[in-house]
Structures are given as structure tokens and as C-alpha cells.
Amino acid sequence: AQKVTQAQTEISVVEKEDVTLDCVYETRDTTYYLFWYKQPPSGELVFLIRRNSFDEQNEISGRYSWNFQKSTSSFNFTITASQVVDSAVYFCALRNYKAAGNKLTFGGGTRVLVKP
Amino acid sequence: DAGVTQSPTHLIKTRGQQVTLRCSPKSGHDTVSWYQQALGQGPQFIFQYYEEEERQRGNFPDRFSGHQFPNYSSELNVNALLLGDSALYLCASSLAGLMSQPQHFGDGTRLSIL
């Protein structure tokens, strides 16, 4: 069975501070994909970043960066120099590599509040 | 390029009633997945449709059923509604075979059961 845990339920920061969101996952599959989605109050889940299990290179995309460590089953996400528009709920999600289906298993989410 | 569209936006029903939610996938996508998101929780996978057949199902009772049409659009039906069915229902679309690509989500249908 797959499981995703986001231990932080809510994080509050002041604008321009960095925010790091933790994600720990469980899977018996050796090949899988990890995602981060953002959910603003409108409800739509917006795709942010993706990482596959066989590439542990960490990257930066604009103000977003991520730290994938397969040895500890963690996929942490950082927003640098946060802005008020970053206020939303952030979800970490896991998808296995089986061709039979591509369902996403989500964590419980972390609410980020960026104050001006 | 039209994204995923869902209708209606909001819906209020009473216990025991039946409801149908609709989803049109992003242009070019052929696979539709449905998720239920209770307040304050992460989305939970209900089922997925591809080539007009249910391909994968989550841990939801048979009261939840679906359909996919030849134009790839999809419906989610819930019978004998319970108070616990109150949630945001999200539709996501993707292209079969492209496992690395993210699913694209609609704005959801917020269902309230009285």
C-alpha cells in the first residue's frame, strides 16, 4: 500500500521568508513519481513539480526547489522569498509506475499562510 | 487550450438522493480520474476511466459509479447520498501511456448533503 505523510498542517510566515514543506512517503514499488500540487481557495489543484524515483538530482525552478532523498523516502519542497500569492494548501502526491493505472496518493496537505 | 471543466460548481442535496457530476477533460487527454476531497483532507482516489471502461478503483462503495463517453468526457454518479458524502469532488485528466506527465485538475464540484 502507498502512503504519503505531510506532518506540518499549517505554516505561517512573513513575506520574503523561505518556506520548506516536508513530505514522507511509503511504497513497495521501486519506480514511482512524486508530485507537488498547490490548491488555492478556488479549489483547483495546480501542478508545481515532478520527480521520478530513479533521478535523485535536486533542482531549482524559479522560486521553487526540492530535495528528494530516496534513502529516507522524503520529498521536501521549498518556496524561496515567499509572496502573499503563495498562500494556499500544498499537497505532496505519489504515483507508482505500473501501466495499469496512474492514480495519485495524496498527503493530508500543508496550509501555507504568507503575511505581508 | 481548454483545461479540465467540471459542472456544476456547487450542489446541495438531501440524504438518500442521487447526484450526477460531470467532467470534460483537457483537450488531447483520454483518461479521466475522480477524487473526493473532504474538508481539511487530501484528495482520495475514487476511480479512473479509459476507453470508456473503469480501469482502477479506490476504496469506495458501489454507490459510487461512473461513465466515460466516446468524447472522453465523464460522469460520476453517487446513489443513496449520505451526510459523509459532503465533499469537493475533483476530476483530473491525463493521456494514457504518459506516466511521467502530471494529471490536470478541474476546479471541482462542491457537494453538500443536508
Side-chain angles (χ1 to χ4, degrees):
Chain A
Q2 299 181 122
K3 184 179 179 181
V4 177
T5 302
Q6 295 178 251
Q8 306 150 306
T9 56
E10 185 167 324
I11 298 176
S12 182
V13 298
V14 177
E15 205 169 18
K16 297 185 182 178
E17 289 184 341
D18 296 348
V19 180
T20 295
L21 308 181
D22 298 335
C23 173
V24 175
Y25 62 91
E26 297 175 25
T27 180
R28 287 177 289 187
D29 295 315
T30 56
T31 306
Y32 47 88
Y33 295 97
L34 294 162
F35 301 84
W36 277 97
Y37 281 87
K38 172 183 178 180
Q39 188 175 45
S42 62
E44 178 187 2
L45 282 166
V46 179
F47 164 73
L48 297 176
I49 60 173
R50 173 192 66 235
R51 172 56 61 201
N52 58 50
S53 59
F54 42 88
D55 183 359
E56 291 195 57
Q57 181 179 353
N58 295 310
E59 296 183 18
I60 297 174
S61 175
R63 295 188 299 111
Y64 299 151
S65 63
W66 49 98
N67 185 347
F68 172 48
Q69 293 191 350
K70 201 170 182 178
S71 60
T72 57
S73 297
S74 66
F75 184 50
N76 298 337
F77 173 67
T78 297
I79 305 171
T80 302
S82 61
Q83 301 173 3
V84 173
V85 294
D86 295 326
S87 297
V89 181
Y90 290 80
F91 290 97
C92 179
L94 169 69
R95 186 168 83 199
N96 68 30
Y97 196 70
K98 293 178 182 178
N102 61 350
K103 75 168 191 177
L104 288 167
T105 299
F106 286 88
T110 299
R111 180 175 300 277
V112 174
L113 177 61
V114 181
K115 301 176 181 177
Chain B
D1 183 15
V4 179
T5 58
Q6 293 186 242
S7 63
T9 305
H10 294 88
L11 205 51
I12 299 175
K13 292 285 187 179
T14 57
R15 283 178 296 176
Q17 285 189 311
Q18 177 264 343
V19 68
T20 297
L21 311 181
R22 295 176 176 82
C23 171
S24 292
K26 177 181 169 66
S27 178
H29 285 181
D30 57 9
T31 302
V32 173
S33 302
W34 287 92
Y35 293 82
Q36 179 195 66
Q37 185 179 16
L39 193 63
Q41 298 183 21
Q44 298 291 317
F45 176 77
I46 303 175
F47 44 53
Q48 181 180 87
Y49 277 83
Y50 170 64
E51 292 186 329
E52 302 179 46
E53 291 187 11
E54 183 183 295
R55 298 291 178 168
Q56 197 174 17
R57 189 179 182 92
N59 188 25
F60 279 82
D62 292 343
R63 298 187 298 109
F64 289 77
S65 63
H67 189 77
Q68 186 179 34
F69 299 93
N71 66 354
Y72 308 120
S73 66
S74 176
E75 289 182 348
L76 164 65
N77 302 293
V78 186
N79 295 322
L81 288 166
L82 304 174
L83 292 177
D85 295 331
S86 293
L88 177 67
Y89 288 84
L90 294 163
C91 171
S93 72
S94 56
L95 188 59
L98 294 183
M99 301 300 295
S100 65
Q101 297 304 307
Q103 295 181 8
H104 292 255
F105 285 82
D107 288 343
T109 294
R110 193 166 298 278
L111 176 64
S112 299
I113 310 300
L114 303 178

